[in-house]
Amino acid sequence: MVIANNVIRLREIQRRVIEDNNHFQGINSISLSTIDRILQKHRFRMKQASLLNETDQRVEYVQRIFEIEGWPVPPEIIFVDEAGFNLTKRRRRGRNIIGHRAIVNVPGQRGGNVTMCAAISQRGVLHRHASLGPYNTMLLLAFLDGQREHMFQLDHREPAQPEHPHYVVVWDNVSFHRAALVRDWFTDNPIFSNLFLPAYSPFLNPVEEFFSAWRWKVYDREPYMRVHLLQAMEEACLDISVDSCQGWIRHARGFYPRCLARANIACDVDEILWPDPEQRRDADAE
């Protein structure tokens, strides 16, 4: 029963054992502790459940990207995400004489978080917006409105763009990305559509690498007040080149063949999430 259903509960096993007279004849009662002891004896342990269709989601995502790129007029794919920042964040590594710690001064109080929402594509950083506190549905709608106006202005300056362009917003599965108001926004703006990333696949979103590089550029400005932090976050976006964005997009696409091959990819742009070097692999490692 456990092999067939890894998330079956002990009480459900208990009930099925009592009701199954073919395999468990004469057993009218059994305690949960006995069931647990039997499972332990046969080397069954509790562990975090993984999504069975994780690789299937990646295959469907890559196939959908290829389908979109095959349209008669290929749309512009825009990668969107949010990242938080705080005044207490500083460089975590430094240099000093052997035997002495590398010390950095940080504010005595943590203060509130500041969140940056940004969008990148092959044309570089398209739009960004910093806000005090966490992001939510209303802030996201304001960001999408700003993104729409910016795209209209950008395409107006570039006559080579198609007369009726289309944009595909690619982002993760955070709850406010799926809010009803957000779905209504895409319905009201038919030239925009959205595509959700597969679960546990940040390596397929190049904006993750954008934020990794962007954070270091914010560090370099050493903001000490929230007003200065907002300014530093905005200015740091201007330092990100178009070539860098294109490189991150190529790096994300480098995982497509392994996704189609249903490979078990254990990689993330944030090495803190994968502290074991043996578990870290990227497209160039094999």
Side-chain angles (χ1 to χ4, degrees), residues 101-138:
R101 294 181 178 179
I103 299 174
V104 61
N105 294 322
V106 298
Q109 296 182 347
R110 175 177 173 83
N113 287 327
V114 180
T115 305
M116 169 70 78
C117 185
I120 69 171
S121 75
Q122 292 283 357
R123 289 193 276 180
V125 181
L126 298 176
H127 187 53
R128 78 270 184 190
H129 177 257
S131 175
L132 298 177
Y135 241 68
N136 55 35
T137 302
M138 302 312 297

Side-chain angles (χ1 to χ4, degrees), residues 225-241:
M225 297 188 308
R226 291 219 292 181
V227 175
H228 292 168
L229 178 57
L230 283 170
Q231 181 180 355
M233 293 169 71
E234 290 280 353
E235 292 176 352
C237 291
L238 301 176
D239 293 341
I240 304 295
S241 67

Side-chain angles (χ1 to χ4, degrees), residues 58 200-206 208-209 248 251-253 255 259 265-269:
R58 293 172 181 171
Y200 307 109
S201 304
F203 49 86
L204 294 177
N205 194 357
E208 298 280 358
E209 295 191 77
W248 295 325
H251 182 253
R253 293 181 65 90
F255 289 97
C259 290
I265 304 174
C267 177
D268 196 291
V269 295

